[in-house]
Amino acid sequence: MLMLEFWREEGMLSRRFVMLFIVLIIGGIILGYHHHTTFAQGNNCLATPFSNGCYSGIPLVEYQQLLDEMMLYPEPRVEQLPPNERELKRFNFRRLINPEGTIIYDAPNGNPISSIAAGFNYVSISNSQGGWLEINPGQWVRESDTAPVTPSSFSGVFVDPNAPYTMAWMLYPVRPSSYPGGPENTDLARIPRYTRLNIYHSVEVDGWRWYLVGPEQWVKQVNVGKVLYIDRPEGVKGRWFAVDLYEQVLVAYENDTPVFATLVSTGLPEWETNEGTFTTWARVANAPMSGAEGQEDFYSLENVPWTLYFDNDISLHGTYWHDGFGYRHSHGCVNLTLTDSYWIFHWSQEAGYDKPQVHVWASGEYR
């Protein structure tokens, strides 16, 4: 009797074990198949961006989750530095445009006393009289040899290091695409230059990253400048600046905490800004800059403001002669708007940080 009960119980246990084993096998097959299908859909979403379980070029479930986030965080959690109207209007800048060079006279309709060779030349005007402009005491040029200049009113932002998404600025006003790698959606308006965006997701297509910046709105990485944070380099302390050559973005830090970010313009390929960690060695509130005299790229710039020299004659400084921030533009210096350079110059000097450090790095490689 005991033996019979044992075999009955043993048989029931065996049957239960077999049933459990079968359930586990079938469940494993189902789970494995489901995972494979999701993975396949993820790979195929670029080919079928709005079908086969995909939406806007990514798996539908993932897009729905991101859509909730886009509704919750529609724009970056930052505060813009107000444009410094006093700085923007402090000087009346003009570009010298005579291709033969500009003659300087001692008075309106007066005698020639010198000349400025043709080049990338900017002056500031202190007086005007009957078609003549005074550029320095006792130095006059014809107004027809000049063109007016309007400094950029762009300014950076105070950042929240705990913000949920990476921020970027739109650099080129394109219409977003409906899916990564797709054509511009002509039903949508162009995103204006300098618009601040959240990057909710990224997908790589043909070696380029595409960023999801809004519902069914993707932009190629070359059209934005992205704010990236880095660890404090060894030996750096206090208030310091990180310049990302790839994104053309400067971030101001207080020790380990990012405080402020903005777009910059660094050196062109012929005059690349050197990478490395530097200590500023001089600060100049206002001075002229010139270089490459006698060469095709000769330049002469009056009243360059708020300069911090950090790598020999390379510096952070204010820039009134272009509005190309987010793109390389200089002979090696780090160009900032007048508003940003004023803030950086003074903020870096507060609390005893008279010679802040500058760390120049690259988050990617220009192509």
Side-chain angles (χ1 to χ4, degrees):
M1 187 68 177
L2 291 173
M3 183 64 70
L4 178 60
E5 290 298 319
F6 172 81
W7 284 112
R8 284 178 181 173
E9 291 177 5
E10 185 71 6
M12 291 177 65
L13 288 172
S14 299
R15 286 194 295 273
R16 287 173 183 170
F17 178 80
V18 170
M19 291 295 293
L20 179 60
F21 182 78
I22 292 171
V23 169
L24 290 173
I25 291 295
I26 294 173
I29 292 171
I30 291 171
L31 289 172
Y33 176 77
H34 176 73
H35 176 78
H36 176 73
T37 302
T38 302
F39 183 76
Q41 285 178 345
N43 277 345
N44 292 334
C45 281
L46 296 179
T48 58
F50 289 96
S51 61
N52 296 331
C54 303
Y55 196 86
S56 193
I58 58 177
L60 176 59
V61 173
E62 187 175 7
Y63 181 83
Q64 290 172 331
Q65 293 172 342
L66 289 169
L67 185 60
D68 291 340
E69 292 291 295
M70 287 185 269
M71 297 300 104
L72 189 60
Y73 305 103
E75 57 187 35
R77 199 161 66 193
V78 297
E79 180 184 351
Q80 183 179 6
L81 174 66
N84 190 325
E85 296 296 336
R86 186 182 70 83
E87 279 300 303
L88 292 172
K89 298 175 181 177
R90 185 156 65 109
F91 294 104
N92 178 8
F93 294 109
R94 291 261 175 164
R95 181 173 185 177
L96 302 182
I97 59 173
N98 192 326
E100 305 300 322
T102 303
I103 299 174
I104 299 175
Y105 298 83
D106 59 3
N109 296 307
N111 300 310
I113 55 175
S114 64
S115 64
I116 300 176
F120 192 75
N121 304 317
Y122 287 78
V123 296
S124 54
I125 308 306
S126 57
N127 196 8
S128 63
Q129 182 178 323
W132 292 82
L133 302 175
E134 189 174 32
I135 60 174
N136 286 304
Q139 296 182 354
W140 294 76
V141 298
R142 297 181 187 274
E143 185 174 0
S144 58
D145 285 344
T146 72
V149 174
T150 302
S152 174
S153 60
F154 171 80
S155 60
V157 294
F158 298 103
V159 299
D160 178 356
N162 298 314
Y165 290 101
T166 298
M167 192 204 97
W169 284 276
M170 199 72 190
L171 299 182
Y172 191 79
V174 298
R175 293 183 176 88
S177 303
S178 298
Y179 58 91
E184 291 187 16
N185 186 342
T186 56
D187 293 332
L188 298 177
R190 296 181 185 275
I191 302 176
R193 176 161 162 76
Y194 294 144
T195 298
R196 296 189 293 271
L197 307 165
N198 272 331
I199 296 177
Y200 303 101
H201 191 61
S202 67
V203 172
E204 188 169 306
V205 181
D206 297 329
W208 295 101
R209 289 189 299 275
W210 285 74
Y211 299 133
L212 180 65
V213 298
E216 297 180 50
Q217 297 181 42
W218 295 84
V219 294
K220 195 175 182 179
Q221 69 178 93
V222 297
N223 293 316
V224 302
K226 186 169 60 172
V227 179
L228 297 175
Y229 302 137
I230 60 171
D231 293 333
R232 180 160 46 115
E234 185 177 355
V236 172
K237 61 182 179 179
R239 295 183 174 180
W240 58 282
F241 305 104
V243 178
D244 184 349
L245 299 177
Y246 186 68
E247 296 291 346
Q248 293 289 289
V249 167
L250 174 146
V251 178
Y253 290 83
E254 177 100 47
N255 290 313
D256 296 315
T257 304
V259 175
F260 176 82
T262 192
L263 292 171
V264 297
S265 291
T266 64
L268 289 161
E270 305 95 309
W271 307 282
E272 290 186 349
T273 307
N274 293 324
E275 294 186 43
T277 303
F278 308 90
T279 299
T280 54
W281 58 270
R283 56 173 59 237
V284 181
N286 191 312
M289 288 187 179
S290 61
E293 189 170 354
Q295 302 177 35
E296 290 185 2
D297 58 319
F298 168 67
Y299 64 93
S300 175
L301 309 164
E302 288 192 353
N303 293 307
V304 179
W306 314 120
T307 300
L308 293 171
Y309 286 96
F310 64 88
D311 180 16
N312 296 319
D313 59 350
I314 301 300
S315 63
L316 308 171
H317 63 69
T319 305
Y320 56 79
W321 50 89
H322 76 76
D323 188 29
F325 300 98
Y327 295 101
R328 295 183 293 182
H329 205 286
S330 79
H331 275 66
C333 287
V334 179
N335 292 178
L336 297 144
T337 65
L338 300 184
T339 296
D340 289 341
S341 63
Y342 179 91
W343 183 86
I344 282 171
F345 188 93
H346 291 86
W347 177 81
S348 66
Q349 197 171 25
E350 295 172 2
Y353 300 117
D354 191 56
K355 294 182 178 180
Q357 290 165 293
V358 179
H359 179 72
V360 182
W361 69 296
S363 60
E365 186 175 349
Y366 257 90
R367 291 188 268 169

